[in-house]
Amino acid sequence: MRKALALAILLALGATACSTSASERAVPPQEIPDLTDETWIERTAEDTGIPEGALQAYAQAAVALPECGIGWNTLAAIGATESGHGSHGGATIASDGLVTPEIIGIALDGGESVAAVPDTDGGSYDGDTEWDRAVGPMQFIPETWEIYAQDGNGDGETNPHQIDDAALTAATLLCERGGDLTTEEGWYSAILAYNASEQYAAVVADRATRYVE
């Protein structure tokens, strides 16, 4: 079921997939930013094309969880693949970090290439009371969000449509499932726990590497 969900989300958001094998795997370098450098966000956003609001969220999440070695570039690669850094469907990131209009995936209703996932949140996150849908810039299924949700902007709330919350939640899930993300085993375990597709992992690895080249 996890693999079907992952492929459905990947296809729904139009990510470009490529294939890989275990022997071809390479762990992207994990870069932890120095946020005491006041120009880092501006310079890196210009170099990568990542919106500053999204980049700030990825960087803060990486800095918050140094023990697992997760880099901002891995989070950025996931954000790019899942929603184009919160831009899917014409969405934008507001100054408060909210992504509008909300990014909501297709109904996981058992259709072609989609697992059947009956509603788990009463429609509170995805507006669908019959089937679950992936939500927010990091595309969490509501049940997964409930398990890992983090308050990334310190406002006392957790919202999958708020980029700081979503990025820190993604980092928390990846660190818990992968352990040491500077190793091949840890990094790929984390990414495949997030989205159980080797094609997806290859896309993320390529993007994460290119962000820090």
Side-chain angles (χ1 to χ4, degrees):
M1 179 175 287
R2 281 184 178 272
K3 185 172 183 179
L5 288 175
L7 290 173
I9 294 168
L10 184 65
L11 293 171
L13 291 174
T16 301
C18 61
S19 61
T20 188
S21 67
S23 63
E24 296 171 328
R25 286 176 167 182
V27 179
Q30 299 302 292
E31 184 173 283
I32 309 299
D34 177 9
L35 293 182
T36 63
D37 178 354
E38 296 180 357
T39 68
W40 187 89
I41 294 293
E42 182 179 357
R43 287 187 290 104
T44 306
E46 183 175 351
D47 289 343
T48 61
I50 300 172
E52 289 191 16
L55 182 59
Q56 180 79 41
Y58 305 143
Q60 289 179 165
V63 169
L65 297 170
E67 63 276 5
C68 77
I70 190 170
W72 70 267
N73 52 311
T74 284
L75 294 168
I78 291 173
T81 305
E82 296 290 354
S83 71
H85 307 299
S87 69
H88 180 73
T92 59
I93 302 173
S95 59
D96 61 1
L98 287 175
V99 175
T100 55
E102 294 179 348
I103 299 173
I104 298 177
I106 61 173
L108 301 175
D109 59 5
E112 185 176 356
S113 299
V114 177
V117 184
D119 173 61
T120 62
D121 66 325
S124 61
Y125 293 120
D126 57 18
D128 191 334
T129 58
E130 184 175 5
W131 303 102
D132 267 353
R133 298 168 180 254
V135 296
M138 302 302 275
Q139 286 291 280
F140 282 98
I141 296 169
E143 187 173 23
T144 303
W145 178 262
E146 283 293 328
I147 295 171
Y148 291 98
Q150 301 291 313
D151 178 10
N153 64 343
D155 67 353
E157 300 179 358
T158 56
N159 183 347
H161 302 288
Q162 204 280 339
I163 188 66
D164 302 297
D165 292 358
L168 184 57
T169 299
T172 299
L173 184 160
L174 292 164
C175 288
E176 180 174 311
R177 300 301 294 272
D180 183 356
L181 270 66
T182 65
T183 67
E184 178 183 303
E185 180 181 5
W187 194 87
Y188 279 95
S189 293
I191 301 303
L192 293 173
Y194 198 95
N195 188 319
S197 163
E198 288 280 356
Q199 291 180 325
Y200 179 90
V203 170
V204 172
D206 179 64
R207 286 177 169 160
T209 299
R210 284 190 284 116
Y211 280 141
V212 294
E213 287 181 336

